[in-house]
Amino acid sequence: MRTEKIKNKIAIVGHTKGIGKAISDLYKKKNYTVVGFSRSNGFDLEKQQNEILEQLDDCRLIVINAYAKKGQLELLKRIYGKYLYSNKKVAVITSTSGTSAGQDSEHTTKTYIEYCKMKKQLIGYISELQQELLQPGTMSVHDICPDTVRTEMSKGLWEDYPKLRSSDVAS
């Protein structure tokens, strides 16, 4: 009975807008219980990681979507420490801005440069984890790095390129 509960429950950090909302909507349509964490329901990814971790035990899939400076990276590290020897799947929404090819050289604001730096660190950590997590019985971590997606974060960026819809990424 416990396995069934885990199988049908997922957690999404950053579930109220854009890609996170599209993922939440998709899984709700598939009759999953979705546990969402975002500022809109009182969760601050940087400051409330303990509270988030407490609610992940019976979630089979964890999606870390929200960007909050080092919040994504720190939460992933804590999930790894707590759930290494579980069968959980963790999907982390990163960004092509974390790669040298995906950075937009026309945008030089401090916020954008910091965003790119944090995403690059996150992608690097995920690559390291993926090498360690090849053993059976350990969690799996997947880097979902959509190219250009029409979200609040992408307004004004990569305007010459076609953009995916959030629902395209979710499916």
Side-chain angles (χ1 to χ4, degrees):
M1 189 70 156
R2 176 127 172 100
T3 326
E4 213 163 297
K5 186 177 180 184
I6 291 172
K7 182 179 177 185
N8 291 322
K9 188 173 182 182
I10 72 165
I12 303 173
V13 180
H15 73 292
T16 56
K17 296 180 191 174
I19 296 169
K21 182 173 181 351
I23 294 169
S24 177
D25 292 347
L26 175 74
Y27 276 90
K28 284 177 182 177
K29 284 180 187 171
K30 293 181 177 190
N31 293 317
Y32 279 74
T33 300
V34 176
V35 180
F37 305 96
S38 67
R39 287 181 294 217
S40 65
N41 68 346
F43 288 94
D44 183 316
L45 178 55
E46 286 185 291
K47 297 176 183 166
Q48 294 181 291
Q49 292 195 359
N50 287 336
E51 292 87 341
I52 293 170
L53 278 172
E54 288 171 6
Q55 297 185 50
L56 301 180
D57 286 347
D58 58 352
C59 295
R60 175 92 163 100
L61 171 63
I62 302 166
V63 178
I64 306 173
N65 174 57
Y67 168 73
K69 298 182 183 172
K70 288 192 175 190
Q72 272 184 309
L73 177 60
E74 294 305 317
L75 183 61
L76 179 57
K77 287 179 178 180
R78 295 183 73 184
I79 289 170
Y80 172 76
K82 184 173 181 179
Y83 298 112
L84 172 60
Y85 296 106
S86 72
N87 286 323
K88 291 189 185 301
K89 292 183 181 353
V90 180
V92 185
I93 310 299
T94 60
S95 170
T96 53
S97 295
T99 67
S100 54
Q103 291 178 8
D104 190 330
S105 58
E106 293 177 21
H107 288 74
T108 57
T109 65
K110 182 180 177 184
T111 304
Y112 180 72
I113 292 168
E114 181 182 89
Y115 175 80
C116 293
K117 179 182 172 186
M118 292 298 113
K119 291 295 186 171
K120 184 175 184 172
Q121 288 176 4
L122 181 63
I123 291 168
Y125 182 69
I126 292 168
S127 294
E128 290 173 24
L129 285 184
Q130 288 171 336
Q131 297 306 309
E132 291 178 28
L133 297 174
L134 296 175
Q135 308 168 41
T138 58
M139 63 184 262
S140 60
V141 177
H142 306 274
D143 172 5
I144 300 170
C145 190
D147 195 16
T148 51
V149 182
R150 189 167 308 287
T151 66
E152 284 294 314
M153 289 293 290
S154 68
K155 279 187 181 173
L157 298 173
W158 314 291
E159 292 299 323
D160 295 338
Y161 297 96
K163 292 183 180 167
L164 297 169
R165 295 175 313 211
S166 297
S167 57
D168 296 331
V169 178
S171 55

